[in-house]
Short mmCIF file of all heavy atoms in Angstrom, two decimals:
data_model
loop_
_atom_site.label_atom_id
_atom_site.label_comp_id
_atom_site.label_asym_id
_atom_site.label_seq_id
_atom_site.Cartn_x
_atom_site.Cartn_y
_atom_site.Cartn_z
N GLU A 105 -16.85 94.92 58.19
CA GLU A 105 -16.92 96.39 58.26
C GLU A 105 -18.24 96.83 58.90
O GLU A 105 -18.26 97.75 59.73
CB GLU A 105 -16.82 96.93 56.83
CG GLU A 105 -16.06 98.24 56.73
CD GLU A 105 -15.88 98.67 55.28
OE1 GLU A 105 -15.67 97.78 54.41
OE2 GLU A 105 -15.98 99.86 55.03
N LEU A 106 -19.31 96.15 58.52
CA LEU A 106 -20.63 96.47 59.10
C LEU A 106 -20.63 96.20 60.59
O LEU A 106 -21.16 96.97 61.38
CB LEU A 106 -21.70 95.61 58.43
CG LEU A 106 -22.23 96.05 57.07
CD1 LEU A 106 -23.14 94.99 56.49
CD2 LEU A 106 -23.01 97.36 57.22
N LYS A 107 -20.06 95.08 60.95
CA LYS A 107 -20.01 94.66 62.36
C LYS A 107 -19.18 95.65 63.18
O LYS A 107 -19.47 95.89 64.34
CB LYS A 107 -19.42 93.25 62.39
CG LYS A 107 -19.51 92.53 63.70
CD LYS A 107 -20.88 92.00 64.01
CE LYS A 107 -20.86 91.38 65.40
NZ LYS A 107 -22.17 91.27 65.99
N LYS A 108 -18.16 96.20 62.54
CA LYS A 108 -17.28 97.15 63.22
C LYS A 108 -18.04 98.46 63.49
O LYS A 108 -17.92 99.06 64.56
CB LYS A 108 -16.06 97.43 62.34
CG LYS A 108 -14.84 97.90 63.08
CD LYS A 108 -13.69 98.04 62.11
CE LYS A 108 -12.54 98.79 62.71
NZ LYS A 108 -11.47 99.00 61.71
N SER A 109 -18.83 98.89 62.51
CA SER A 109 -19.55 100.15 62.69
C SER A 109 -20.80 99.98 63.55
O SER A 109 -21.26 100.92 64.16
CB SER A 109 -19.91 100.75 61.34
OG SER A 109 -20.67 99.84 60.60
N GLU A 110 -21.35 98.79 63.61
CA GLU A 110 -22.53 98.53 64.46
C GLU A 110 -22.35 97.17 65.15
O GLU A 110 -22.75 96.13 64.63
CB GLU A 110 -23.81 98.55 63.58
CG GLU A 110 -25.09 98.19 64.29
CD GLU A 110 -25.48 99.07 65.46
OE1 GLU A 110 -25.90 100.20 65.22
OE2 GLU A 110 -25.38 98.60 66.61
N PRO A 111 -21.72 97.17 66.34
CA PRO A 111 -21.44 95.88 67.00
C PRO A 111 -22.70 95.10 67.40
O PRO A 111 -22.64 93.89 67.58
CB PRO A 111 -20.64 96.28 68.24
CG PRO A 111 -20.10 97.64 67.94
CD PRO A 111 -21.12 98.30 67.08
N GLY A 112 -23.81 95.82 67.53
CA GLY A 112 -25.05 95.15 67.92
C GLY A 112 -25.74 94.42 66.78
O GLY A 112 -26.81 93.83 66.95
N LEU A 113 -25.13 94.44 65.65
CA LEU A 113 -25.71 93.80 64.46
C LEU A 113 -25.43 92.29 64.50
O LEU A 113 -24.30 91.85 64.30
CB LEU A 113 -25.06 94.43 63.22
CG LEU A 113 -25.76 94.29 61.89
CD1 LEU A 113 -27.10 94.99 61.87
CD2 LEU A 113 -24.88 94.90 60.80
N VAL A 114 -26.46 91.52 64.81
CA VAL A 114 -26.26 90.06 64.87
C VAL A 114 -27.26 89.31 63.99
O VAL A 114 -27.16 88.10 63.83
CB VAL A 114 -26.36 89.52 66.32
CG1 VAL A 114 -25.15 89.88 67.14
CG2 VAL A 114 -27.65 89.96 66.99
N THR A 115 -28.21 90.03 63.43
CA THR A 115 -29.27 89.36 62.67
C THR A 115 -29.12 89.60 61.17
O THR A 115 -28.91 90.73 60.74
CB THR A 115 -30.66 89.87 63.14
OG1 THR A 115 -30.69 89.80 64.56
CG2 THR A 115 -31.78 89.05 62.57
N ALA A 116 -29.25 88.55 60.42
CA ALA A 116 -29.23 88.66 58.96
C ALA A 116 -30.36 87.82 58.39
O ALA A 116 -30.56 86.66 58.80
CB ALA A 116 -27.90 88.19 58.41
N LEU A 117 -31.12 88.41 57.50
CA LEU A 117 -32.22 87.69 56.85
C LEU A 117 -31.87 87.49 55.38
O LEU A 117 -31.64 88.47 54.66
CB LEU A 117 -33.53 88.45 57.00
CG LEU A 117 -34.02 88.65 58.44
CD1 LEU A 117 -35.28 89.48 58.47
CD2 LEU A 117 -34.28 87.31 59.11
N ILE A 118 -31.83 86.28 54.98
CA ILE A 118 -31.40 85.98 53.61
C ILE A 118 -32.62 85.75 52.73
O ILE A 118 -33.52 84.98 53.07
CB ILE A 118 -30.44 84.77 53.61
CG1 ILE A 118 -29.16 85.16 54.36
CG2 ILE A 118 -30.10 84.31 52.20
CD1 ILE A 118 -28.32 84.05 54.82
N GLN A 119 -32.60 86.45 51.60
CA GLN A 119 -33.71 86.35 50.64
C GLN A 119 -33.17 85.80 49.32
O GLN A 119 -32.74 86.56 48.46
CB GLN A 119 -34.33 87.73 50.40
CG GLN A 119 -34.96 88.35 51.62
CD GLN A 119 -35.44 89.76 51.32
OE1 GLN A 119 -34.65 90.65 51.03
NE2 GLN A 119 -36.73 89.95 51.38
N PRO A 120 -33.18 84.48 49.19
CA PRO A 120 -32.68 83.93 47.92
C PRO A 120 -33.73 84.04 46.82
O PRO A 120 -34.91 84.26 47.11
CB PRO A 120 -32.40 82.46 48.26
CG PRO A 120 -32.73 82.30 49.70
CD PRO A 120 -33.60 83.43 50.11
N GLN A 121 -33.28 83.85 45.60
CA GLN A 121 -34.21 83.78 44.47
C GLN A 121 -34.33 82.33 44.02
O GLN A 121 -33.54 81.48 44.44
CB GLN A 121 -33.72 84.67 43.34
CG GLN A 121 -33.93 86.14 43.68
CD GLN A 121 -33.51 87.08 42.56
OE1 GLN A 121 -33.12 86.65 41.50
NE2 GLN A 121 -33.61 88.37 42.83
N ALA A 122 -35.28 82.08 43.13
CA ALA A 122 -35.53 80.70 42.71
C ALA A 122 -34.29 80.01 42.15
O ALA A 122 -34.07 78.82 42.38
CB ALA A 122 -36.65 80.69 41.68
N ALA A 123 -33.46 80.78 41.44
CA ALA A 123 -32.29 80.18 40.79
C ALA A 123 -31.06 80.12 41.68
O ALA A 123 -30.02 79.60 41.27
CB ALA A 123 -31.96 80.96 39.53
N THR A 124 -31.17 80.63 42.90
CA THR A 124 -30.00 80.63 43.80
C THR A 124 -29.66 79.21 44.21
O THR A 124 -30.54 78.42 44.58
CB THR A 124 -30.30 81.47 45.06
OG1 THR A 124 -30.82 82.73 44.66
CG2 THR A 124 -29.06 81.68 45.90
N LEU A 125 -28.38 78.90 44.16
CA LEU A 125 -27.94 77.56 44.54
C LEU A 125 -27.91 77.41 46.06
O LEU A 125 -27.54 78.35 46.78
CB LEU A 125 -26.56 77.26 43.97
CG LEU A 125 -26.43 77.06 42.47
CD1 LEU A 125 -24.97 76.87 42.10
CD2 LEU A 125 -27.24 75.86 42.00
N TYR A 126 -28.28 76.22 46.52
CA TYR A 126 -28.27 75.90 47.95
C TYR A 126 -26.88 76.14 48.55
O TYR A 126 -26.74 76.70 49.63
CB TYR A 126 -28.70 74.44 48.08
CG TYR A 126 -28.70 73.84 49.46
CD1 TYR A 126 -29.17 74.54 50.56
CD2 TYR A 126 -28.25 72.54 49.67
CE1 TYR A 126 -29.19 73.97 51.82
CE2 TYR A 126 -28.27 71.96 50.92
CZ TYR A 126 -28.72 72.67 51.99
OH TYR A 126 -28.73 72.10 53.23
N GLU A 127 -25.85 75.76 47.80
CA GLU A 127 -24.47 75.92 48.28
C GLU A 127 -24.13 77.40 48.51
O GLU A 127 -23.45 77.73 49.48
CB GLU A 127 -23.52 75.32 47.24
CG GLU A 127 -22.09 75.22 47.75
CD GLU A 127 -21.16 74.61 46.72
OE1 GLU A 127 -21.37 74.79 45.52
OE2 GLU A 127 -20.21 73.94 47.16
N ASP A 128 -24.63 78.25 47.63
CA ASP A 128 -24.35 79.68 47.77
C ASP A 128 -25.04 80.25 49.02
O ASP A 128 -24.49 81.13 49.69
CB ASP A 128 -24.82 80.44 46.53
CG ASP A 128 -23.97 80.11 45.31
OD1 ASP A 128 -22.86 79.59 45.51
OD2 ASP A 128 -24.41 80.36 44.17
N ILE A 129 -26.22 79.73 49.32
CA ILE A 129 -26.93 80.19 50.53
C ILE A 129 -26.13 79.79 51.76
O ILE A 129 -25.91 80.60 52.67
CB ILE A 129 -28.36 79.58 50.59
CG1 ILE A 129 -29.18 80.00 49.35
CG2 ILE A 129 -29.09 80.00 51.86
CD1 ILE A 129 -30.49 79.27 49.19
N ILE A 130 -25.67 78.55 51.78
CA ILE A 130 -24.90 78.06 52.93
C ILE A 130 -23.58 78.83 53.06
O ILE A 130 -23.19 79.23 54.17
CB ILE A 130 -24.64 76.53 52.79
CG1 ILE A 130 -25.96 75.74 52.84
CG2 ILE A 130 -23.66 76.02 53.87
CD1 ILE A 130 -26.72 75.77 54.13
N ASN A 131 -22.91 79.08 51.93
CA ASN A 131 -21.64 79.83 51.98
C ASN A 131 -21.86 81.24 52.51
O ASN A 131 -21.03 81.77 53.26
CB ASN A 131 -21.00 79.89 50.59
CG ASN A 131 -20.41 78.56 50.18
OD1 ASN A 131 -20.11 77.72 51.02
ND2 ASN A 131 -20.25 78.35 48.89
N THR A 132 -22.96 81.84 52.10
CA THR A 132 -23.28 83.20 52.58
C THR A 132 -23.53 83.18 54.09
O THR A 132 -23.02 84.03 54.82
CB THR A 132 -24.52 83.74 51.83
OG1 THR A 132 -24.30 83.60 50.44
CG2 THR A 132 -24.81 85.18 52.16
N MET A 133 -24.29 82.18 54.53
CA MET A 133 -24.56 82.06 55.97
C MET A 133 -23.26 81.86 56.74
O MET A 133 -23.07 82.44 57.82
CB MET A 133 -25.48 80.85 56.21
CG MET A 133 -26.90 81.07 55.82
SD MET A 133 -27.80 79.55 56.13
CE MET A 133 -29.39 79.99 55.49
N ASP A 134 -22.39 81.04 56.19
CA ASP A 134 -21.11 80.76 56.84
C ASP A 134 -20.28 82.05 56.96
O ASP A 134 -19.66 82.29 58.00
CB ASP A 134 -20.36 79.70 56.01
CG ASP A 134 -19.42 78.87 56.86
OD1 ASP A 134 -19.68 78.72 58.07
OD2 ASP A 134 -18.42 78.37 56.33
N ALA A 135 -20.30 82.86 55.91
CA ALA A 135 -19.55 84.13 55.92
C ALA A 135 -20.09 85.06 57.01
O ALA A 135 -19.32 85.75 57.69
CB ALA A 135 -19.65 84.80 54.55
N PHE A 136 -21.41 85.05 57.19
CA PHE A 136 -22.01 85.89 58.24
C PHE A 136 -21.66 85.36 59.62
O PHE A 136 -21.34 86.13 60.53
CB PHE A 136 -23.54 85.95 58.06
CG PHE A 136 -23.96 87.01 57.07
CD1 PHE A 136 -24.13 86.71 55.73
CD2 PHE A 136 -24.17 88.30 57.49
CE1 PHE A 136 -24.50 87.68 54.81
CE2 PHE A 136 -24.54 89.30 56.58
CZ PHE A 136 -24.70 88.98 55.24
N LYS A 137 -21.73 84.05 59.78
CA LYS A 137 -21.42 83.45 61.09
C LYS A 137 -19.98 83.69 61.49
O LYS A 137 -19.68 83.90 62.66
CB LYS A 137 -21.71 81.94 61.05
CG LYS A 137 -23.17 81.62 61.27
CD LYS A 137 -23.35 80.22 61.80
CE LYS A 137 -24.78 80.01 62.26
NZ LYS A 137 -24.97 78.71 62.87
N LYS A 138 -19.09 83.67 60.51
CA LYS A 138 -17.66 83.88 60.80
C LYS A 138 -17.43 85.27 61.37
O LYS A 138 -16.46 85.49 62.08
CB LYS A 138 -16.84 83.71 59.52
CG LYS A 138 -16.51 82.27 59.21
CD LYS A 138 -15.75 82.19 57.90
CE LYS A 138 -15.61 80.75 57.46
NZ LYS A 138 -15.18 80.67 56.06
N ASN A 139 -18.31 86.20 61.02
CA ASN A 139 -18.15 87.57 61.49
C ASN A 139 -19.06 87.90 62.68
O ASN A 139 -19.35 89.06 62.95
CB ASN A 139 -18.39 88.55 60.34
CG ASN A 139 -17.26 88.50 59.34
OD1 ASN A 139 -16.16 88.94 59.63
ND2 ASN A 139 -17.50 87.91 58.18
N GLY A 140 -19.53 86.87 63.34
CA GLY A 140 -20.29 87.06 64.58
C GLY A 140 -21.76 87.33 64.40
O GLY A 140 -22.45 87.68 65.36
N MET A 141 -22.27 87.17 63.19
CA MET A 141 -23.71 87.35 62.99
C MET A 141 -24.36 85.97 63.03
O MET A 141 -24.40 85.24 62.05
CB MET A 141 -23.98 88.06 61.66
CG MET A 141 -23.35 89.44 61.71
SD MET A 141 -23.83 90.56 60.43
CE MET A 141 -25.56 90.62 60.52
N VAL A 142 -24.84 85.65 64.23
CA VAL A 142 -25.26 84.27 64.47
C VAL A 142 -26.76 84.05 64.30
O VAL A 142 -27.22 82.91 64.17
CB VAL A 142 -24.83 83.83 65.89
CG1 VAL A 142 -23.33 83.60 65.94
CG2 VAL A 142 -25.22 84.85 66.94
N ASP A 143 -27.51 85.13 64.32
CA ASP A 143 -28.96 85.01 64.23
C ASP A 143 -29.37 85.12 62.76
O ASP A 143 -29.55 86.21 62.24
CB ASP A 143 -29.57 86.14 65.07
CG ASP A 143 -31.01 85.86 65.45
OD1 ASP A 143 -31.49 84.77 65.09
OD2 ASP A 143 -31.64 86.72 66.09
N LEU A 144 -29.49 83.96 62.13
CA LEU A 144 -29.75 83.96 60.68
C LEU A 144 -31.15 83.47 60.37
O LEU A 144 -31.69 82.60 61.04
CB LEU A 144 -28.73 83.07 59.97
CG LEU A 144 -27.25 83.44 60.13
CD1 LEU A 144 -26.38 82.38 59.51
CD2 LEU A 144 -26.96 84.79 59.51
#
Side-chain angles (χ1 to χ4, degrees):
Chain A
E105 215 175 323
L106 279 173
K107 190 76 184 159
K108 204 176 167 184
S109 58
E110 175 59 73
L113 199 63
V114 286
T115 310
L117 298 177
I118 295 162
Q119 297 175 296
Q121 286 182 4
T124 310
L125 289 176
Y126 177 42
E127 190 179 32
D128 291 343
I129 300 170
I130 296 294
N131 287 339
T132 308
M133 286 178 184
D134 208 27
F136 275 92
K137 278 204 169 184
K138 276 177 189 166
N139 288 290
M141 297 193 56
V142 287
D143 200 2
L144 301 173

